[in-house]
Amino acid sequence: GQNIDQPTEMTATEGAIVQINCTYQTSGFNGLFWYQQHAGEAPTFLSYNVLDGLEEKGRFSSFLSRSKGYSYLLLKELQMKDSASYLCAVRDWDNYGQNFVFGPGTRLSVLP
Amino acid sequence: DTEVTQTPKHLVMGMTNKKSLKCEQHMGHRAMYWYKQKAKKPPELMFVYSYEKLSINESVPSRFSPECPNSSLLNLHLHALQPEDSALYLCASSQDEQGSNYGYTFGSGTRLTVV
């Protein structure tokens, strides 16, 4: 199984940069995903990392270090619409098959 | 079509009612999932269907009964629910149970209230 941890809440200012961290403990690691979820809506896919390093996609970037069991999501030029929960999810394999488990999520509030 | 469609969007039901949640995708995905999400909590996996066969049941009470009539459809039949079952029920799909670089595609969910 997995043990995934994220900060519960974060606050940042419009136009700023924020980094949301995710730590995990698992065996059979097979990828880490970041999802954005606005209140009452479905999670939407943001990024995927399976190898170490940084993946950049517009204003959003995601980093992975497999040896440290660590990832972060970096949001640049924050906008009010970025206020949402950000979910880190880890995919791994065990004797029973594939698992895909969400972390507790980080609620980000962007202030004017 | 790159969407997962769930109906209804909202459902209020009594504890003696029988209702069904429906999920549909036409992306050719062969794995489909039901998740339950309580307020301010992450989604929790309930069931996994892979190639129309139930592959994972995460110890979900029998008052929840999944059904996969074909590779595009997934139902969740509800009977004799409890108020604590009130939650957002999310359907998701992926290319197969091994997943892909995009993880899962989620539907917009059904907001269920049990009274």
Side-chain angles (χ1 to χ4, degrees):
Chain A
Q2 304 98 332
N3 183 17
I4 306 172
D5 196 24
Q6 300 178 238
T8 304
E9 293 187 8
M10 298 184 72
T11 302
T13 305
E14 195 175 13
I17 299 173
V18 71
Q19 177 175 310
I20 303 174
N21 296 327
C22 171
T23 58
Y24 64 90
Q25 294 175 319
T26 185
S27 56
F29 177 82
N30 190 28
L32 187 142
F33 300 80
W34 284 96
Y35 281 81
Q36 179 192 61
Q37 187 176 26
H38 287 97
E41 299 182 9
T44 55
F45 170 80
L46 291 178
S47 69
Y48 167 72
N49 296 72
V50 69
L51 299 177
D52 291 349
L54 188 68
E55 294 284 340
E56 297 188 79
K57 192 182 294 186
R59 293 190 300 116
F60 293 3
S61 302
S62 59
F63 172 83
L64 176 68
S65 169
R66 289 172 296 170
S67 62
K68 295 181 180 178
Y70 168 70
S71 173
Y72 67 73
L73 180 69
L74 192 70
L75 292 76
K76 304 176 187 176
E77 301 170 13
L78 280 174
Q79 303 175 8
M80 300 297 289
K81 66 179 182 180
D82 297 329
S83 293
S85 287
Y86 290 86
L87 299 160
C88 165
V90 173
R91 183 174 67 195
D92 71 359
W93 288 94
D94 61 21
N95 291 337
Y96 302 99
Q98 180 193 234
N99 301 297
F100 187 92
V101 178
F102 286 94
T106 299
R107 287 192 300 280
L108 174 66
S109 298
V110 180
L111 305 177
Chain B
D1 187 352
T2 58
E3 292 186 348
V4 174
T5 303
Q6 287 188 245
T7 56
K9 293 192 181 305
H10 299 276
L11 178 63
V12 179
M13 61 184 289
M15 288 188 284
T16 59
N17 291 159
K18 286 185 180 180
K19 296 286 184 183
S20 297
L21 309 185
K22 297 186 183 300
C23 175
E24 190 170 0
Q25 58 87 15
H26 296 286
M27 295 176 280
H29 288 177
R30 303 313 301 265
M32 297 185 76
Y33 312 81
W34 280 114
Y35 279 83
K36 174 183 178 180
Q37 187 175 26
K38 303 284 276 186
K40 299 185 178 181
K41 298 290 187 181
E44 295 179 356
L45 183 65
M46 299 175 72
F47 301 105
V48 179
Y49 271 83
S50 179
Y51 291 85
E52 302 161 47
K53 294 190 188 307
L54 182 65
S55 66
I56 296 177
N57 176 343
E58 293 285 359
S59 302
V60 179
S62 60
R63 57 185 184 269
F64 295 91
S65 175
E67 178 197 17
C68 189
N70 59 56
S71 61
S72 298
L73 295 175
L74 185 65
N75 299 322
L76 186 63
H77 302 298
L78 313 173
H79 174 54
L81 294 194
Q82 303 297 311
E84 59 264 29
D85 296 322
S86 298
L88 180 68
Y89 287 84
L90 293 164
C91 174
S93 69
S94 63
Q95 289 181 348
D96 56 36
E97 200 172 354
Q98 294 180 13
S100 71
N101 290 358
Y102 297 96
Y104 298 175
T105 302
F106 283 86
S108 57
T110 295
R111 175 75 59 191
L112 174 67
T113 303
V114 181
V115 298

